[in-house]
Each structure stands twice: as structure tokens, then as C-alpha cells.
Amino acid sequence: MALTQLSSTKCFGGYQKVYEHDSSELKCKMRFGIYLPPKSESAKCPVLYWLSGLTCTEQNFITKASSQQAAAEHGLVVVVPDTSPRGCNIPGEDENWDFGTGAGFYVNASEEPWKTNYRMYAYVTEELPRLVDANFSVISGKMSIFGHSMGGHGALVCALKNPGKYKSVSALAPICNPVMCPWGQKAFTGYLGPDKTKWETYDATSLVGSYSGPHLDILVDQGKDDQFLVAGQLLPDNFIKACTEKKIPVVLRLQEGYDHSYYFIASFIGDHIKHHAKYLNA
């Protein structure tokens, strides 16, 4: 699959790049950011995938999260996909900020008119890793995943649905129990239809109950002043309860005074990259 480089900027000794390609899963052009640490010029490196939240493109994380310094220090390639297909000319795709464009929810849609293009789960777990493995100096199969909000939901779901595929997982302010919150209910109804058993296959809190894979060490950070926590969109307590019952190790850190923004992400991104480096560099 041919890649077109759109930008390349030196940063902490490595390079922050953006590429575009034709996606076979999403049937449209897709962009992703990739940070190549200095180490990648002389050796293959593990890969850390970041999934962004509602309304984001690949640009939000690479310009606002301050991730490059920690990635350079730990020798990790960081890959940042977009949050949905773009420009598919589906009626209604641009009408809502929390559904359609910029809001793919990291599922494989099964409902018309979304099911042809809205296959972000397959894109993130299958197509994009194949593309990265084929085109960059990375250690094939040595990868972890993390994300924020909708992307935190996506990261947890990808790890829990694919035991052993990811060495570690973490999330910042994730949508932990989408079947129980307005954002999730709206998205899942549109993409997956009315059958709630389908919804549960993309719900981290539901998936924990059936997880039987290798040891998974989960780190979650949550701002205590996050307006979406207060609004009942994130529901971390439900996820922690499910993990505790299943004896899956999880650390939830409630961060006093922090909201849902990229200021919050930037404040703790170093801890998360260090968490993943512990497993990826083992």
C-alpha cells in the first residue's frame, strides 16, 4: 500500500511525520501521524498506538499532547490515526459532532449506510499495523495501545478483544461503559443497530467479564473536574468494579482539578508512555 508523506518535522532528535494512504477497510483516503524516535535510525523500535477522542484528527495529539520527548527517551514509535473515515458522502455524516465524521467510535459498523466505510476497529487493529510494519523500522508484533475519551474506549476495547496482541493498555478519561451513557447509546444505535448484545462487544466494562487472556496491566487517569465525568458519560467506577471482580489489575488515578482537555493529557502523557515502555522494552 503506497504511502504519501505530507509533512516531516524534526522533534527531540526524531521526526514527527504525517502520511496519507488509500484505506482498503474504510474505502477512503486516511491520514495518520507517526513519531519516529532517534533510535529508529539505527534499530527497530516497538510501536505505541494512540486513539484520539471525538472531533479530533491526527493533528490534535501530535501538536498538543507533548508526547514526543518521552517517546524519544524510551525509543518508541508513536502512531496516531484519524478518528473516522472522511469525505465518504454519506447523508448525515457531518451533521453531529458526536456521530459520523470525527466520531467513528472504533467499531465495525453493521448498519446501513455506515457499514461500508465505518470500520475503524478493523482499521486500527489490522490494516494500520500491517501498514506500519511494512513501511517503518518497527518490531513487528511488539505494540501497545492508549487513548483519550472515545479513544480511551477504543484502546480498552482493542486490548480486551485481542488477548496478547497488545503488551499493555492505558487510557485518559475513557468512555468506560458506552452501553450505559448517552454518547455510546447514540453511536451504537446508529452504527450497530438496536441489538444491545452487539453493543456489548464494543464495551470495555462488558468485555472485562469475558477476558481470559494474558496478564494485562491497565492504567487509567481521570480528571476530577472533568465535565463529562460529572455528566455521566465516562463511568470509570463501573469499569473498575468489573476489573476488580475479574481480578484484572487496574490503577485508576483521580487527578484533582483537571478537566477533559489536552492540558490534562499533556500533564500525564509522560507517565503513560513510561507505563508502556516498561512492557514494550522488556
Side-chain angles (χ1 to χ4, degrees):
M1 185 70 70
L3 291 180
T4 303
Q5 181 175 292
L6 301 180
S7 66
S8 177
T9 309
K10 192 160 189 177
C11 187
F12 292 104
Y15 286 89
Q16 178 64 61
K17 297 173 180 275
V18 175
Y19 287 89
E20 185 175 69
H21 71 104
D22 291 311
S23 168
S24 57
E25 284 288 356
L26 308 180
K27 309 291 190 290
C28 68
K29 286 191 181 299
M30 289 294 287
R31 293 181 178 185
F32 65 91
I34 184 167
Y35 179 70
L36 301 172
K39 185 181 175 182
S40 68
E41 293 182 12
S42 59
K44 291 188 174 186
C45 298
V47 187
L48 181 52
Y49 287 87
W50 168 268
L51 304 183
S52 298
L54 289 163
T55 75
C56 289
T57 68
E58 82 290 339
Q59 287 293 318
N60 300 71
F61 183 80
I62 68 175
T63 58
K64 294 180 179 180
S66 305
S67 62
Q68 290 91 349
Q69 184 171 10
E73 289 171 359
H74 293 287
L76 302 182
V77 170
V78 181
V79 176
V80 185
D82 202 345
T83 54
S84 76
R86 301 262 169 190
C88 297
N89 298 314
I90 299 171
E93 69 181 345
D94 295 324
E95 288 178 5
N96 296 281
W97 66 274
D98 56 358
F99 183 78
T101 301
F105 265 86
Y106 305 103
V107 303
N108 288 342
S110 55
E111 296 295 296
E112 296 289 2
W114 311 99
K115 67 180 185 180
T116 299
N117 304 98
Y118 277 69
R119 296 179 50 78
M120 285 299 294
Y121 173 76
Y123 177 73
V124 164
T125 59
E126 297 171 26
E127 183 179 2
L128 188 57
R130 283 199 304 268
L131 200 62
V132 169
D133 285 356
N135 288 279
F136 300 96
S137 180
V138 301
I139 304 169
S140 181
K142 202 162 196 184
M143 59 185 180
S144 290
I145 193 164
F146 66 152
H148 169 243
S149 195
M150 176 184 74
H153 139 77
L156 293 170
V157 165
C158 288
L160 291 166
K161 283 172 74 74
N162 295 278
K165 187 180 186 81
Y166 301 97
K167 303 301 181 189
S168 52
V169 61
S170 73
L172 294 106
I175 302 171
C176 290
N177 197 185
V179 302
M180 298 296 290
C181 79
W183 276 341
Q185 291 164 353
K186 177 178 180 177
F188 287 0
T189 299
Y191 295 137
L192 303 174
D195 181 356
K196 292 186 179 179
T197 59
K198 282 187 184 178
W199 298 11
E200 290 172 357
T201 66
Y202 292 104
D203 181 286
T205 300
S206 301
L207 288 167
V208 161
S210 58
Y211 182 79
S212 60
H215 173 86
L216 201 55
D217 185 359
I218 304 170
L219 172 63
V220 178
D221 271 305
Q222 174 63 60
K224 286 182 84 170
D225 286 6
D226 186 326
Q227 67 272 36
F228 300 116
L229 176 68
V230 177
Q233 295 281 20
L234 307 178
L235 305 173
D237 291 346
N238 295 1
F239 181 68
I240 299 303
K241 182 172 182 282
C243 287
T244 303
E245 288 173 358
K246 191 71 175 177
K247 295 184 169 57
I248 291 177
V250 60
V251 173
L252 171 64
R253 306 192 307 185
L254 290 171
Q255 304 291 0
E256 193 73 46
Y258 285 91
D259 61 13
H260 198 72
S261 71
Y262 265 85
Y263 294 110
F264 160 64
I265 295 171
S267 299
F268 300 102
I269 198 72
D271 290 351
H272 283 253
I273 290 174
K274 187 177 178 181
H275 169 79
H276 294 292
K278 181 170 67 175
Y279 295 96
L280 290 171
N281 290 327

